Amino acid sequence: MLRSFSPLPRARLRLPSVRNFSISPSRQELSPQHAIYVSNSVNPYFNLSLEDWLFRHKNHQEPLLLLYRNDPCVVIGRNQNPWKEVNMTALKARSIPFIRRRSGGGTVYHDLGNTNYSIHLSRLTFDRHATAELVRRAISTLGVDVRVNDRNDICVGNEKVSGSAYKIVNQRAYHHGTMLISTKLDTLGALLRTDTETMVTKGVDSVRSPVCNLRQFSSTIDHETFVDAVVSEFRREYRVDEPIRYVNDGEGAEETDYIRNGMAELPSWDWAFGQTPEFTYSIRPRFEWGEVTIEIRSKHGIILETRATSGHSGAGLEELGRRLEGHKYGFVEEAIVKDVVDRDSRCRDVWEALAGAMETYNYQP
């Protein structure tokens, strides 16, 4: 993820009957005391940090709803392995970041055809099935027959339109999820399709499911109508009668210390890669001179051990493995092993296979 974001556009929302999406030119101080928030920002680093700030600062006894969209990005769960979950080659080709969120669950793709909802409640009253049902009822008012499965995903038939994740801390909990409205499903598939079956992780693997867009079943559904429906259902369920608090780029919310620090943390190596649970990855590349079995073991993004064995094993391959130990997985410069691979062409072949297997895309906003 080496390139920076282009300037992020403001999302412009149409004006349905029960909402007021007009944006006041005056700057409003952001407060966690409202019940309903709609972010007009499409910066994923901001929106994920805003969500966490609201979660940490809202009165734990009061319900809260946040809705937002993001520019294209892949979002992995708190305890997942990005090299297992994300096609780094496809990410790089499209200049799309991956972001490790602060909740558990699996990997999802965000773009402007996907709307994210986040429902925060007291831990004592939190019921993930009930919150999923709230969203299901909202979609039903838009004319699409959906159901909640045993994982609390929202589906049309056997295809998923919404996946969920959860977070519980002290007296507060939230259920957040994606809603595929008109997402580019071909891009989603390309970014989340990996060839790492031999990577064994102690983290959480995503549960792969067929997906579809709501737009396939109703041409009138879009971000605005979905937001309207969820807000209305949230108000009915929790007896909330107050206006929506819109959060806009340039209002200064990103200057809030907690949010600013969160936006800096999410793309950092320590968070994005350094939180990766321990894993091992075995590959068996073949060369003209023979086949090699390579096993890499890593924890928190650091290579702990690399073993390369073949019928031609020797001091060169052993030294190559030792040189990688203690370095960041996917970030090893060739200079670290240059003298070893320059002396032995077989070591060079193995190094190139290793470098390809550890391919990483480090997007920086």
Side-chain angles (χ1 to χ4, degrees):
M1 306 179 186
L2 297 175
R3 289 174 30 179
S4 61
F5 273 115
S6 57
L8 294 168
R10 274 191 180 184
R12 291 188 174 89
L13 305 180
R14 295 199 295 273
L15 301 172
S17 57
V18 300
R19 294 161 295 153
N20 176 15
F21 277 116
S22 60
I23 297 173
S24 169
S26 61
R27 182 161 163 163
Q28 303 178 53
E29 182 178 351
L30 185 64
S31 162
Q33 303 312 315
H34 301 278
I36 303 171
Y37 295 80
V38 175
S39 174
N40 289 325
S41 174
V42 291
N43 182 335
Y45 300 99
F46 171 77
N47 284 326
L48 292 174
S49 298
L50 170 66
E51 177 182 51
D52 191 54
W53 180 77
L54 291 170
F55 179 61
R56 303 285 181 171
H57 291 81
K58 174 71 172 176
N59 184 321
H60 75 272
Q61 295 180 327
E62 298 174 357
L64 180 146
L65 172 67
L66 169 66
L67 294 140
Y68 60 93
R69 292 187 294 176
N70 285 327
D71 273 336
C73 61
V74 173
V75 181
I76 70 172
R78 171 69 177 82
N79 301 306
Q80 290 198 295
N81 181 331
W83 296 285
K84 175 80 170 178
E85 300 294 332
V86 185
N87 187 319
M88 295 290 181
T89 302
L91 275 185
K92 184 176 182 179
R94 293 165 174 80
S95 299
I96 291 176
F98 88 84
I99 305 170
R100 184 186 300 276
R101 65 176 178 267
R102 296 179 175 91
S103 65
T107 297
V108 293
Y109 170 67
H110 291 185
D111 65 12
L112 296 182
N114 168 77
T115 299
N116 303 289
Y117 58 88
S118 186
I119 302 171
H120 303 204
L121 298 167
S122 163
R123 182 173 185 170
L124 293 177
T125 60
F126 182 69
D127 181 332
R128 60 190 66 187
H129 184 75
T131 47
E133 281 291 329
L134 183 156
V135 179
R136 182 199 63 78
R137 292 194 300 271
I139 299 170
S140 295
T141 67
L142 301 176
V144 180
D145 184 20
V146 293
R147 66 181 180 88
V148 177
N149 69 13
D150 57 2
R151 294 177 54 84
N152 294 311
D153 298 323
I154 299 172
C155 304
V156 179
N158 293 321
E159 294 183 310
K160 192 161 70 172
V161 292
S162 175
S164 298
Y166 314 92
K167 189 172 182 66
I168 299 175
V169 175
N170 297 327
Q171 296 176 302
R172 196 72 167 157
Y174 68 64
H175 168 184
H176 62 179
T178 57
M179 184 56 63
L180 301 176
I181 298 173
S182 58
T183 288
K184 294 182 178 179
L185 298 181
D186 55 343
T187 302
L188 180 156
L191 296 176
L192 304 189
R193 189 179 301 114
T194 62
D195 184 22
T196 52
E197 291 84 1
T198 58
M199 183 175 286
V200 179
T201 177
K202 292 185 178 180
V204 175
D205 287 339
S206 292
V207 177
R208 309 291 177 178
S209 304
V211 297
C212 62
N213 280 317
L214 287 178
R215 187 70 66 78
Q216 296 172 224
F217 307 95
S218 173
S219 61
T220 61
I221 295 179
D222 57 16
H223 172 68
E224 289 83 5
T225 56
F226 176 73
V227 166
D228 186 41
V230 175
V231 167
S232 296
E233 194 59 39
F234 179 84
R235 282 175 166 157
R236 280 192 290 269
E237 178 71 17
Y238 299 109
R239 300 180 182 180
V240 172
D241 183 20
E242 65 172 74
I244 297 170
R245 171 61 165 98
Y246 296 96
V247 182
N248 305 298
D249 287 328
E251 282 189 341
E254 65 279 2
E255 297 173 12
T256 302
D257 286 346
Y258 192 95
I259 294 176
R260 184 176 65 251
N261 292 339
M263 293 177 69
E265 179 184 52
L266 289 175
S268 69
W269 184 92
D270 284 348
W271 179 259
F273 298 100
Q275 296 295 313
T276 304
E278 184 174 349
F279 69 95
T280 58
Y281 188 23
S282 299
I283 59 173
R284 299 183 69 181
R286 292 184 177 182
F287 309 104
E288 291 183 358
W289 48 268
E291 183 179 86
V292 179
T293 299
I294 306 172
E295 183 174 281
I296 313 166
R297 186 165 64 92
S298 172
K299 184 176 182 180
H300 301 320
I302 301 297
I303 298 171
L304 301 179
E305 184 179 26
T306 303
R307 292 182 180 179
T309 58
S310 77
H312 301 273
S313 296
L317 291 181
E318 293 177 5
E319 178 62 20
L320 178 64
R322 282 195 295 268
R323 292 289 182 92
L324 302 183
E325 293 175 8
H327 290 281
K328 295 176 179 177
Y329 184 98
F331 293 84
V332 182
E333 299 290 340
E334 185 173 337
I336 300 297
V337 298
K338 188 176 186 307
D339 61 322
V340 178
V341 301
D342 283 349
R343 288 196 305 265
D344 188 332
S345 62
R346 288 177 299 184
C347 288
R348 175 165 293 281
D349 290 340
V350 171
W351 160 247
E352 290 175 353
L354 273 168
M358 295 190 294
E359 183 173 9
T360 300
Y361 180 48
N362 187 26
Y363 184 106
Q364 288 299 312

